[in-house]
Amino acid sequence: MADCLRVPLLLLLWIFCILSSLHPIRGQNNVIAKLTVNADNAPNHPVVGPVIPGGAAAERSLVAGASLQRRRSTGWKLSEEAVCRDDLSRLCPKHSWSNNLAVLECLQDRKEETEIAAECNHLLWNYKLNLTTDPKFESVAVEVCKTTISEIKECAAEELGKGYLVSCLVDHRANISDYQCNQYITKMTTIVFSDYRLICGFMDKCREDINTLRCGSISTGEKDVHSQGEVIACLEKGLVREAEEQPGAHPIKDECKKSIMRVAELSSDDFHLDRYLYFSCREDRERFCEKTLAGEGRVYKCLFNHKFEDAMTERCREALTTRQKLIAQDYKVSYSLAKACKSDLRKYHCSADSNMPRAREARLSYLLLCLESAVHRGRVVSGECQGEMMDYRRMLMEDFSLSPEIVLQCRSEIEGHCSGLHRKGRTLHCLMRVGRGDMGSIDPNCQRALQTLIQEADPGADYRIDRALNEACDSVIQTACKHIRSGDPMILSCLMEHLYTEKMVEDCEHRLLELQYFIARDWKLDPILYKKCQGDAARLCHTHGWNETSEMMPTGAIFSCLYRHAYRSVEQGRRLSRDCKVEVQRILHQRALDVKLDPELQRRCMTDLGKWCSEKTEAGQELECLQDHLEDLVSGCRDVVGNLTELESEDIQMEALLMQACEPVVQTYCHEVADNQINSGDLMECLVQNKHQKEMNEKCSVGVTHFQLIQIKDFRFSYKFKTACKEDVLKLCPNIKKKVDVVICLSTTVRNDTLQDAKEQRVSIKCRKQLRVEEVEMSEDIRLEPELYDSCKQDINRLCQNVAFGNAQVIECLKENKRQLTQRCHQRIFKLQEVEMVDPELDYQLMRVCKHMIRRFCSESEGKNVLQCLKQNKNSELMDPKCKQMITKRQITQNTDYRLNPVLRKACKADIPKFCQPILNKATADSELEGQVIACLKLKYADQRLSPDCEAQIQVVLQESALDYRLDPQLQIHCTQEISRLCPEEAAAQEQTGQVEECLKVNLLKVKQEGCKKEVLNMLKESKADIFVDPVLHTACALDIKHQCAAIPPGRGRQMSCLMEALQDKRVRLQPECKKRLQDRIDMWSYAAKVAPAEGFSDLAMQVMTSPSKNYILTVIGAGVALLFMVGLLCGRFTKRVTQELKDR
């Protein structure tokens, strides 16, 4: 307490303020009176202080000092002095002349541009100096503050007569409850702070620094009262420059530093005491804070709040910034903050860390981190203190220059990218944007400084702390987040949920992502996440306290640890609590919006992002790009992207952009799944199933397809498939990773077990069910089958370039153009068709187009029999035309090769190698036989040589192809030109009922091509075997068959023979149309017999039996045989007689 600095500083500090009002208020009369008396009767002490060397100034000082000493000790008035009379008359109201302190206040608080005489100026200074060194003021303090002194032990112990008592009272003024004592101490300070030379010891301790920094002269009288404040302001700026390590900064001595900070601290409650700031901001105070009462730092706070207003003068703004920088170095420079948080600082030991240097403990950042840590741990911090903390956190976010580390470490970034953006936090957000990598690289030290500042300011707890964000996002908050209480931490989450939506504005989007980039790198900066997960983090991830860090733990490691435990199964153990898991999922949903919000992803994938995704700048494109190039990524990046994709498959709502795009579909078809989903993968499955509904927009469709394409890269990316088949994969398909290969492996196993009639399927039933879902989904888009897609990519570009992917449209296009496909693609398509014919449920187009018809006609049929069922009901009046057309396409496909007709293949298993082996010998495994085997079987059917099962199936094929020439591949191949020439109208008919075949039969004589002629003759031959093969004749003779041949079973030409006999029988009257058609057939058969004679006895016998002149032929043949027999008898007798005669000889 013996330090000379404190004594006059505190003495002077309070005396001036008490007397600053000209008219004392009630309750102050005694104090003011005593002070006035003491002031007016100041003793004639000699002039104290340095003497000005030589010149007029020295002479004036001596004159002024001598004049003051000559005055009597009683009743002397400043207004009576001639050197000040002119200035007093000009500047001060007359009623104040009688009070020396009122005159002193008037003259030293005059406007800056108003000059007063140098002699008057020096007279005032000597008066104040004598006044402050007078022991009578201490006696007033003893009398006024008697109660207070007894309550404050430190002050009661001070020795009287040396000025230490008032200094002690100043130190403890925050604890003074007595009103009169408080006023006395407060008012005295103004005198001291009007001139730094009045602060005992200040000049001696800072003499060298003042001269080195050229802050002004320390000689008495050379500076007026205004410039005296500038000396301290100059020292303060020098202190700030040193802290910021600016080029050329002068290191100020520690003693002077302490003096500067002490002066700032003691002037913290009343801005009048900071003379430089007072004169710089006097007009601004009247403009912005006119109604703000002085004291307790209220005017400072008011001016701080208006610092970036356009009307604020630049000089005042600069002075305010300097004071804020001092506060950043020592929180006690803020009276309101130090007072409001005093008990909380003591309670949570924020100033008692023995391992921490005192300078650091005093820093605003340390105070904020310490108290924020208490708040985040759930401790109670007074509302008044939290309010002050919020003000200063906002202050740090508004002005980057208040953080020396930012100024020092980010100097080049500010100059290169962010110059001219000083106000309202714009520079800081610009630096954040640089830190995100949006504007080039950033120095690691600058990045760390930004991260530290964000932790100190903690804007995640209250978005309003970030003024730039608050102003940019105000309209979004008012519309999208109006249901959330202002200042609630969930506001930021609400803004993230509306990122890239129609409600989001561009400026808000940028500010939000810039802030979230840094919040994402420290899980503690999300207060809700920290609150819900701090226990789990300590238990599972071994975290430290809120404001503690570990150099061993990389950025984002804690959150990575949390989300790994969030998705563990019960069997794996050590799971997160339910509340924590919900918050982890919320953060994951937000991070999926931007790859830069995932620190681990960005850190490990920086190289790959530059290599593969440099042009992907739209929202969500970078992650999609990384997923597309999964196989090409470096190991670390591939693991991170794979894990994230696996999480997305479980909870597709992480894909916020996809969910926004798919909202109409979700609301219409998947709302129950979305509402009830608990990480099951059902929502994505629902979206896939409804991918082609009318509510599906392009963005949603593309997003769903993209996710399907990503899933094929690894079976783990399909959550439901992984869950259902994980054990089966490990057992039956080890070392296989790609989903397509896994599906093929498991499907092959199921198929083999089925064909071999295994007693027990090796693939579990739950896996088989999900396997079916996966196979159907893969059939929807050719890109989901990579081998097929790669094989046919060239053909797709050539033949199907205008066909959209999805809905199996590209696959259908390739099927329709399969004659033009390259060999490799053709082989793949053939294999695909072979699988689809065995299992029609995998035929996506068929199942889609005929969906309703399947429900109508085939609801009870097994999946493998769906196509067979549809074929049987094809000609029903209730059949949908589109479905009928699709069925016809599949029939055409089946008839190109017996292997594509599994029912026929099974029925004719023995007949095919028996009768058609030469054709099989020429066949290849992966290409169609163009109907040759079926054509072979048709001929054998006409010869009635097939097995019953095979005959039945061939009969169906004949019936179907007889109605539609397109179902006969051989006829298509050989007769295309003839059909176009002879039967164009019939071929153009939408409904094929055998008209083209009839046309060819009728025009058989006009057919020029031998191949086509042969096919038509084969048709005629086949029609003899069964009237059902000739639909035109069958339709014409339907009534006659019913009447004349009802008892005759169909097949083997029996009903045809019946009609021929009826035609020959004159007693039977056939329908005219039937009779005409039969006669036409007889003529055709006659011509066919001439053109194509029987190739063997069997063909001859068949021709005779099916000939309309069968009876006549048989009669002739019989007569010929009888004649031959008679001739034989005669010849036999002649031979015998000759022989007898020979014998007789």
Side-chain angles (χ1 to χ4, degrees), residues 173 304 313 380 397 415 472 485 515 538 545 606-607 639 728 782 808-809 813 876-877 902 967 1026 1036:
R173 60 180 169 169
F304 288 160
T313 62
V380 178
M397 289 294 293
E415 292 174 356
R485 178 179 56 85
L515 177 61
M606 185 65 68
T607 303
D639 291 341
D728 300 272
I782 191 171
Q809 295 178 96
C813 171
S876 170
E877 294 180 358
L967 302 185
D1026 197 329

Side-chain angles (χ1 to χ4, degrees), residues 46-64:
V47 177
V48 178
V51 179
I52 305 172
E59 184 179 351
R60 286 193 300 269
S61 292
L62 292 173
V63 171

Side-chain angles (χ1 to χ4, degrees), residues 540-541 560-568 573-576:
L540 302 172
C541 310
S560 297
C561 168
L562 289 174
Y563 84 64
R564 282 196 300 272
H565 286 87
Y567 290 91
R568 285 191 172 185
R574 294 175 67 82
R575 304 175 75 198
L576 294 184

Side-chain angles (χ1 to χ4, degrees), residues 65-239:
S67 176
L68 181 62
Q69 292 184 39
R70 289 196 302 270
R71 301 304 170 207
R72 295 173 54 195
S73 60
T74 305
W76 175 79
K77 303 294 182 183
L78 279 172
S79 59
E80 297 174 357
E81 293 297 321
V83 293
C84 291
R85 188 170 297 141
D86 292 341
D87 296 308
L88 189 66
S89 302
R90 182 165 47 90
L91 300 173
C92 301
K94 194 169 185 178
H95 62 77
S96 66
W97 293 3
S98 60
N99 188 318
N100 284 345
L101 293 181
V103 171
L104 182 64
E105 180 182 23
C106 170
L107 291 178
Q108 81 171 10
D109 284 357
R110 61 180 171 74
K111 291 186 177 181
E112 187 173 1
E113 64 271 9
T114 306
E115 297 293 335
I116 62 174
E119 293 84 354
C120 181
N121 204 358
H122 191 58
L123 175 67
L124 294 176
W125 185 82
N126 277 287
Y127 173 71
K128 289 189 292 183
L129 181 60
N130 288 326
L131 185 67
T132 54
T133 55
D134 190 350
K136 292 182 180 181
F137 283 98
E138 187 175 89
S139 63
V140 175
V142 172
E143 181 179 348
V144 174
C145 299
K146 184 183 300 181
T147 306
T148 302
I149 294 171
S150 63
E151 291 175 352
I152 303 175
K153 296 179 181 179
E154 292 87 346
C155 299
E158 292 290 354
E159 183 180 354
L160 299 178
K162 295 185 178 181
Y164 294 164
L165 175 62
V166 178
S167 179
C168 177
L169 290 173
V170 170
D171 274 342
H172 293 85
R173 60 180 169 169
N175 298 326
I176 297 177
S177 57
D178 184 79
Y179 179 76
Q180 290 187 353
C181 180
N182 193 301
Q183 289 295 312
Y184 168 72
I185 296 297
T186 302
K187 293 290 184 179
M188 284 188 65
T189 57
T190 308
I191 296 177
V192 177
F193 281 90
S194 66
D195 195 323
Y196 74 94
R197 294 169 302 175
L198 296 177
I199 304 171
C200 178
F202 184 88
M203 188 166 60
D204 295 331
K205 293 176 181 178
C206 294
R207 184 190 306 269
E208 293 182 13
D209 297 295
I210 292 174
N211 287 329
T212 304
L213 294 171
R214 305 195 178 197
C215 291
S217 171
I218 58 173
S219 300
T220 307
E222 281 197 14
K223 295 278 184 179
D224 66 14
V225 293
H226 296 85
S227 60
Q228 298 302 325
E230 291 180 357
V231 174
I232 294 180
C234 174
L235 290 171
E236 291 174 344
K237 292 176 182 177
L239 188 62

Side-chain angles (χ1 to χ4, degrees), residues 93 97 124 264 294 385 458 519 552 603 612 801 819 882 910:
W97 293 3
L124 294 176
C385 180
D458 195 17
I519 291 179
M552 301 298 293
R603 178 168 58 87
W612 305 108
Q801 58 182 349
R819 295 183 188 276
K882 291 183 179 179

